[in-house]
């Protein structure tokens, strides 16, 4: 133990004026200075969000209180089928089976808990009374024609001209197979499916708005290639609907983005070209259109070790030369970006193929960064549910108009054994409350609130949100 020397003279610093200042005074002066900067930054942050402080603690909002009463899950792993042979019993025991193993095992005895059968499907044409407008994450979701919705890895566009929501995604209604022994599970490209809705619950199939190329094997969209995560934004300047997507070859070595354009949200979209944005490989990607009309491309790059972000040009048909690397070395994919009161937020996934993993939330004062990681946003279920993003992967976040700090988190529950039967996990997301832990910059004081995604087996949008649009 280090002993204190009572005869030691106090540590001093000679100031410019010739006076002597104690170390403690200097330290506390520095702390006070940093606090002043922090509170000044905080006030600037609030001013930038609209000049007045709005209610962010969403649990005080009467329409959202019910959504934050999360549900817990207690799923028991079933015992192994049959008895082990005497020879197997003598061998060293295998690693214990986990809930993730059961999720990935198509013959699991509890598979119905992750992929409920057709009997429990959400049917907007049949639901009445208490089940109207209810979301059931993981269940089959039917369109207004009674067919399962095929819009995987998708995104939502709200079209002000038609006052309609459009959901675009991968149309995977084909057979799942492996192109070769080490290849990932895949479905041949069929195209991009489009669905329309006024209430985000009952969806009408508008058709395949960008179709695969059947004969030209050199075409980016030949059925043997890969088309993933299509996103559509509207350009006010040109009056065009612009679609960006991840295009690749069977072995995922092309790693590019593709661009298509249409005069109508329901297509058809004309495919223009593909490229590696900024000269880098691009896989999982998304688009974000800011309030000032500037649109951005965000994509996983450098073998998924980091994300890149940069603005599109004025017609949204290409990137500019400006690009920033973010979340370097963190190996994140499936970005879903949104904005709340002047702060940019993003949900990302780890890189584990079709297997689920832990989501992370990130925040930034400028969309170009720096971005800070705030931790796992998932609440409820159980520990494994939270560490697997409720057995799903992020794809998009939809703002709910009229309710401050409230959104819908859109995710895919992938079924690698039968990709057409992959499910949708839509859950309430709110922004409010303290962040999980201090951040790396800004002196450790976060200027933004926590992002929370709440688990529910069954939930509905708050009554009245449509009237507030």
């Amino acid at each position: 133990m280090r002993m204190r020397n009572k005869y030691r003279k106090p540590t001093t610093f000679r100031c410019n004026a010739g006076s002597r200042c104690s170390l403690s005074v200097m330290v506390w002066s520095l702390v006070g200075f940093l606090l002043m900067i922090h509170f000044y930054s905080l006030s600037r942050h609030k001013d930038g969000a609209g000049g007045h402080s709005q209610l962010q603690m969403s649990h005080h909002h009467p329409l959202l209180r019910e959504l934050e009463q999360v549900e817990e899950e207690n799923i028991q792993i079933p015992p192994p089928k049959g008895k082990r042979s005497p020879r197997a019993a003598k061998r060293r025991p295998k690693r214990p089976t986990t809930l993730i193993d059961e999720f990935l095992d198509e013959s699991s005895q509890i598979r119905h808990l992750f992929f409920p059968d057709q009997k429990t499907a959400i049917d907007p044409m049949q639901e009445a009374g208490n089940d109207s407008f209810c979301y059931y994450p993981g269940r089959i979701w039917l369109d207004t024609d009674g067919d399962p919705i095929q819009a995987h890895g998708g995104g939502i566009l709200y079209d002000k001209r038609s006052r309609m929501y459009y959901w675009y995604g991968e149309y995977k209604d084909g057979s799942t197979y492996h192109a070769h022994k080490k290849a990932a599970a895949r479905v041949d490209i069929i195209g991009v499916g489009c669905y329309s809705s006024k209430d985000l619950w009952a969806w009408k199939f508008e058709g395949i708005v960008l179709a695969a190329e059947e004969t030209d094997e050199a075409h980016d969209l030949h059925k043997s290639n890969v088309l993933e995560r299509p996103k559509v934004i509207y350009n006010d300047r040109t009056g065009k609907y612009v679609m960006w997507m991840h295009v690749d070859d069977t072995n995922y070595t092309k790693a590019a983005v593709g661009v298509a354009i249409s005069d109508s949200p329901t297509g058809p979209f004309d495919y223009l070209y593909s490229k590696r944005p900024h000269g880098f490989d691009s896989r999982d990607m998304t688009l974000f259109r800011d309030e000032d009309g500037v649109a951005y491309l965000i994509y996983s790059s450098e073998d998924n070790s980091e994300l890149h972000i940069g603005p599109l040009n004025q017609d949204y048909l290409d990137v500019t030369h400006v690009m920033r690397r973010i979340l370097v070395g963190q190996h994140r994919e499936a970005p879903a970006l949104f904005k709340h009161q002047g702060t940019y937020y993003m949900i990302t996934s780890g890189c584990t193929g079709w297997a689920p993993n832990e989501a992370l939330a990130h925040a930034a004062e400028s969309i170009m960064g720096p971005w800070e990681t705030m931790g796992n946003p998932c609440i409820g279920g159980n520990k494994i549910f939270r560490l697997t993003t409720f057995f799903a992967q992020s794809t998009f976040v939809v703002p709910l108009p009229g309710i401050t700090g409230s959104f819908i988190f859109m995710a895919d529950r992938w079924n690698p054994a039968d990709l057409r039967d992959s499910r949708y996990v839509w859950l309430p997301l709110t922004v409010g409350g303290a962040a999980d832990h201090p951040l790396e910059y800004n002196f450790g004081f976060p200027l933004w609130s926590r992002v929370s995604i709440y688990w529910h087996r069954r939930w509905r949008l708050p009554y009245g949100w449509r009237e507030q649009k």
Side-chain angles (χ1 to χ4, degrees), residues 168-186:
Y168 303 90
E170 305 159 30
Y171 198 88
K172 288 187 173 295
D173 195 17
S175 300
T176 298
Y177 70 98
H178 296 262
H180 52 82
K181 188 175 181 180
K182 294 185 178 181
R186 59 163 284 129

Side-chain angles (χ1 to χ4, degrees), residues 366-438:
S366 165
I367 193 169
M368 299 297 284
W371 283 82
E372 295 285 349
T373 299
M374 299 196 296
N376 187 336
C378 299
I379 296 177
N382 59 36
K383 182 179 180 181
I384 297 299
F385 269 58
R386 294 187 289 274
L387 291 178
T388 58
T389 319
F390 312 116
F391 294 92
Q393 185 182 39
S394 52
T395 185
F396 202 75
V397 174
V398 187
L400 283 180
I403 306 178
T404 301
S406 60
F407 304 81
I408 296 178
F409 171 69
M410 292 173 55
D412 294 281
R413 180 172 289 175
W414 298 112
N415 181 356
D418 185 8
L419 287 168
R420 83 175 89 198
D421 191 37
S422 297
R423 307 297 176 85
Y424 309 103
V425 174
W426 286 25
L427 291 167
L429 180 154
T430 64
V431 180
D436 284 351
H437 50 74

Side-chain angles (χ1 to χ4, degrees), residues 223-406:
K223 61 182 180 181
S224 63
N225 288 327
V226 171
L227 186 166
E228 295 178 338
R229 298 187 176 270
K231 303 293 186 291
V232 176
I233 52 178
Y234 178 69
N235 189 298
D236 293 320
R237 181 172 169 271
T238 64
K240 301 288 186 182
Y241 296 85
V242 183
M243 179 188 296
W244 285 63
M245 70 213 81
H246 168 210
V247 295
D248 227 316
D249 55 29
T250 304
N251 297 317
Y252 283 84
T253 58
K254 183 179 179 69
V257 291
V259 183
I261 193 168
S262 175
D263 293 323
S264 167
T266 56
F269 281 78
D270 296 320
Y271 186 75
L272 301 181
Y273 71 100
S274 68
K275 70 179 294 183
R276 283 192 164 193
H278 311 108
F280 290 92
D281 59 297
S282 171
R283 291 183 173 85
D284 279 10
M285 49 71 59
T286 193
L287 296 177
F288 177 78
R289 185 180 184 272
D290 213 339
E291 296 151 333
D292 59 4
V294 178
Y296 296 83
L297 172 69
I298 304 96
Y299 59 96
S300 296
S301 192
E302 299 286 25
D303 292 324
N304 288 347
S305 66
E306 61 191 39
L307 292 179
H308 292 178
I309 185 168
L312 304 182
N313 62 13
Q314 288 190 342
D315 59 13
Y316 300 169
L317 299 182
D318 201 354
V319 293
T320 69
H321 67 282
V322 179
M323 182 272 286
R324 295 287 183 274
R325 301 168 183 262
I326 62 174
L327 308 185
V328 176
Q330 296 192 34
H331 297 273
R332 309 303 295 175
E333 64 179 13
L337 198 148
F338 60 103
K339 187 177 183 180
H340 175 59
Q341 293 188 342
T343 298
Y344 299 89
Y345 296 92
M346 180 166 54
I347 308 294
T348 64
S349 157
C351 302
T352 54
W354 296 117
N357 58 66
E358 183 179 19
L360 291 177
H362 317 270
E365 293 179 75
S366 165
I367 193 169
M368 299 297 284
W371 283 82
E372 295 285 349
T373 299
M374 299 196 296
N376 187 336
C378 299
I379 296 177
N382 59 36
K383 182 179 180 181
I384 297 299
F385 269 58
R386 294 187 289 274
L387 291 178
T388 58
T389 319
F390 312 116
F391 294 92
Q393 185 182 39
S394 52
T395 185
F396 202 75
V397 174
V398 187
L400 283 180
I403 306 178
T404 301
S406 60

Side-chain angles (χ1 to χ4, degrees), residues 30 158 468:
L30 179 61
Y158 179 69
Q468 300 178 50

Side-chain angles (χ1 to χ4, degrees), residues 40-56 290-291 339-345 364-365 404-405 431 447-449:
Y40 173 73
S41 299
L42 185 59
S43 66
R44 288 285 302 273
H45 174 73
K46 286 184 178 179
D47 289 343
H52 61 279
S53 179
Q54 296 188 36
L55 184 66
Q56 293 192 43
D290 213 339
E291 296 151 333
K339 187 177 183 180
H340 175 59
Q341 293 188 342
T343 298
Y344 299 89
Y345 296 92
E365 293 179 75
T404 301
V431 180
L447 296 182
W448 36 76
S449 302

